[in-house]
Amino acid sequence: MKILVATEKPFAPVAVKGIRDVVEAAGHELVLLEKGTKDDLKSAVADVEGLIVRSDKIDKEVFDCAPKLKVVVRAGAGYDNIDLAEATAKGVCVMNTPGQNSNAVAELVFGMLVMACRNYYNGTSGTELKDKTIGIHAYGQVGRNVARIAHGFGMNVVAFDPFVSAEVMEADDVTPVGSVEELYEKSLIVSLHIPANDATRKSVVKSLVERLPKNGILVNTARKEVIDEDSLMEALAERSDLRYLADVKPDAADVMKERFGDRVFFTLKKMGAQTAEANIKAGIAAAEQVVAYLKDGWNKFQVNK
Ligand code: 3PG
């Protein structure tokens, strides 16, 4: 059978090799489409049974062009790029690879924080992370890695996640807080790890962000969609001490940069999971999952059940 790896943002070559090895060892053929257009993707899916993607948009148009498709694996955590209802309607199994790239994303949180707290290394005196409080907004796989690294910096760690018990957080030496408002009030830095879905879209608003203490920093390595950008800009305009660092460039990036200068920082492309290690782990896990599904319907990480 044919398995397509379609990535607008390519994996490291070493990861592609690992994926190829898994696919070919199982007797399948690997097809690679890197940096392709939507039309390239629509043509490439025409005769494949399996598909591996990253943040690539897999919508009805793509599913309509893929009559033989049985399984899509998103090599990564968030699957908001895939039309799950359409997949289900067409009998296609969709899975993600939870946890495989989470350390890479968590490390970038601190990469951006140290950079901003040292004033982009411009020679002026900055601040340290030690003894500061970081608030983790959603305590999933990335959040847990953020907590682990934060402890290494000597930070206090608090977290809010209505789906994770206090015991789980306390076992990691993380203090649970009872509400999202309390999280922002208690944390000098809030790191966002909520997925983008109907409940979270545009949920990070001025009334929340302005609860941050003086010199507060909001770090977003999750999704741009969870931010209400106009509302965030109002908070940044009213409070000249607040900063916003994002690995997910906002729609209003240019306006924000112009208005707020170095108080905002955006990566050029989503870089959180863009390491060789994360590519290898998520890519190979995705390949193994596609192969296992095609072999005997293995679907442990199916997200459209
Ligand atoms: C994820 O959801 O796994 C991360 O946001 C990484 O996305 P990427 O594979 O597009 O870099």
Side-chain angles (χ1 to χ4, degrees):
M1 286 188 262
K2 272 194 184 177
I3 297 170
L4 172 68
V5 174
T7 49
E8 187 276 321
K9 187 173 59 190
F11 288 121
V14 62
V16 176
K17 188 190 174 307
I19 295 169
R20 185 180 295 283
D21 289 347
V22 171
V23 167
E24 292 179 353
H28 302 300
E29 184 188 338
L30 184 100
V31 185
L32 189 60
L33 173 66
E34 292 182 329
K35 300 185 184 172
T37 62
K38 179 91 180 263
D39 283 339
D40 295 334
L41 178 61
K42 281 160 63 181
S43 317
V45 293
D47 61 348
V48 303
E49 281 84 1
L51 174 60
I52 294 171
V53 294
R54 297 184 63 175
S55 293
D56 308 84
K57 206 169 168 51
I58 307 301
D59 55 13
K60 182 174 184 316
E61 246 185 287
V62 178
F63 280 114
D64 281 344
C65 295
K68 295 168 77 176
L69 192 61
K70 294 183 169 65
V71 56
V72 178
V73 178
R74 189 282 192 246
Y79 43 86
D80 45 303
N81 51 316
I82 301 175
D83 185 336
L84 295 187
E86 192 56 32
T88 305
K90 293 211 157 60
V92 177
C93 169
V94 180
M95 290 189 263
N96 65 351
T97 65
Q100 301 291 353
N101 61 16
S102 46
N103 179 65
V105 179
E107 286 192 13
L108 187 70
V109 169
F110 292 91
M112 292 198 295
L113 279 173
V114 171
M115 178 185 65
C117 290
R118 295 304 182 98
N119 303 326
Y120 305 92
Y121 315 117
N122 69 359
T124 63
S125 185
T127 57
E128 300 178 23
L129 296 176
K130 186 166 183 287
D131 296 328
K132 308 295 189 320
T133 298
I134 186 166
I136 302 178
H137 189 167
Y139 201 65
Q141 304 265 11
V142 183
R144 285 163 216 216
N145 277 285
V146 169
R148 174 180 52 78
I149 299 169
H151 284 133
F153 274 97
M155 302 183 82
N156 307 311
V157 187
V158 300
F160 175 72
D161 191 325
F163 305 105
V164 176
S165 73
E167 289 72 35
V168 167
M169 295 182 191
E170 280 157 1
D172 292 347
D173 203 13
V174 169
T175 306
V177 296
S179 70
V180 71
E181 288 78 13
E182 193 185 343
L183 184 84
Y184 282 67
E185 278 157 19
K186 290 201 162 142
S187 312
L188 180 69
I189 296 161
V190 165
S191 189
L192 287 173
H193 302 292
I194 46 179
N197 57 37
D198 290 347
T200 61
R201 248 172 236 114
K202 288 193 188 248
S203 66
V204 179
V205 291
K206 175 172 179 265
S207 59
L208 206 50
V209 176
E210 67 189 6
R211 287 172 191 268
L212 286 168
K214 188 163 169 47
N215 298 327
I217 305 177
L218 180 65
V219 191
N220 184 4
T221 54
R223 290 291 182 271
K224 68 175 180 183
E225 290 82 2
V226 302
I227 303 282
D228 182 329
E229 294 185 6
D230 289 337
S231 187
L232 173 65
M233 281 196 277
E234 280 175 35
L236 289 166
E238 267 179 36
R239 288 262 311 269
S240 62
D241 59 303
L242 292 180
R243 284 179 280 179
Y244 178 56
L245 314 174
D247 181 37
V248 282
K249 208 172 169 181
D251 292 332
D254 292 346
V255 179
M256 284 198 201
K257 221 38 229 165
E258 198 186 308
R259 288 182 68 186
F260 307 116
D262 280 353
R263 290 169 52 212
V264 295
F265 170 82
F266 315 121
T267 51
L268 292 176
K269 231 170 203 208
K270 186 158 57 127
M271 292 296 294
Q274 198 58 326
T275 65
E277 293 88 341
N279 290 171
I280 292 168
K281 281 166 65 182
I284 291 181
E288 286 171 345
Q289 290 175 213
V290 168
V291 163
Y293 183 83
L294 293 176
K295 183 166 177 251
D296 56 18
W298 184 94
N299 65 344
K300 180 166 174 195
F301 299 121
Q302 184 165 358
V303 292
N304 64 330
K305 275 186 194 167

